[in-house]
Amino acid sequence: MAIRSKHPKKEIEEAIQYAEQQGWKYKSAGKSAHTWGRLLCPLHTRDGHQMSIWSTPKSPFNHAEQIRRLVDKCLHSNEETE
């Protein structure tokens, strides 16, 4: 697992950790102004899910819930795909 910095919003950081526990990977956004990073589901193909993580969302709680919902909905989480 790549070392990453913690997200400044506690709720979002907890949701990212939840996703990582389900097999999702973090990918840095580079020098993007609004995107802090991306989460990629365990299926590393075009059919896999991904989500942008915003650096300063309007509602950190709602953004964290969006992350958790996508992770819970993903059928590829915690599967052996490689």
Side-chain angles (χ1 to χ4, degrees), residues 17-31:
Q17 290 176 6
Y18 173 75
E20 289 173 334
Q21 290 169 356
Q22 303 302 315
W24 289 58
K25 301 290 181 203
Y26 166 78
K27 181 178 179 185
S28 174
K31 295 188 178 193

Side-chain angles (χ1 to χ4, degrees), residues 5-23:
S5 60
K6 287 190 173 191
H7 194 281
K9 301 295 183 184
K10 178 184 73 161
E11 301 92 340
I12 298 173
E13 176 61 27
E14 290 172 356
I16 293 168
Q17 290 176 6
Y18 173 75
E20 289 173 334
Q21 290 169 356
Q22 303 302 315

Side-chain angles (χ1 to χ4, degrees), residues 11-74:
E11 301 92 340
I12 298 173
E13 176 61 27
E14 290 172 356
I16 293 168
Q17 290 176 6
Y18 173 75
E20 289 173 334
Q21 290 169 356
Q22 303 302 315
W24 289 58
K25 301 290 181 203
Y26 166 78
K27 181 178 179 185
S28 174
K31 295 188 178 193
S32 175
H34 301 288
T35 304
W36 183 80
R38 296 185 74 72
L39 284 174
L40 307 169
C41 92
L43 183 63
H44 301 291
T45 67
R46 291 187 98 168
D47 295 329
H49 299 101
Q50 58 182 327
M51 181 176 187
S52 294
I53 305 167
W54 305 118
S55 53
T56 55
K58 187 173 185 178
S59 170
F61 177 81
N62 287 345
H63 190 51
E65 287 298 309
Q66 289 173 336
I67 294 169
R68 289 179 189 272
R69 273 196 305 271
L70 182 62
V71 170
D72 289 342
K73 187 171 71 171
C74 177

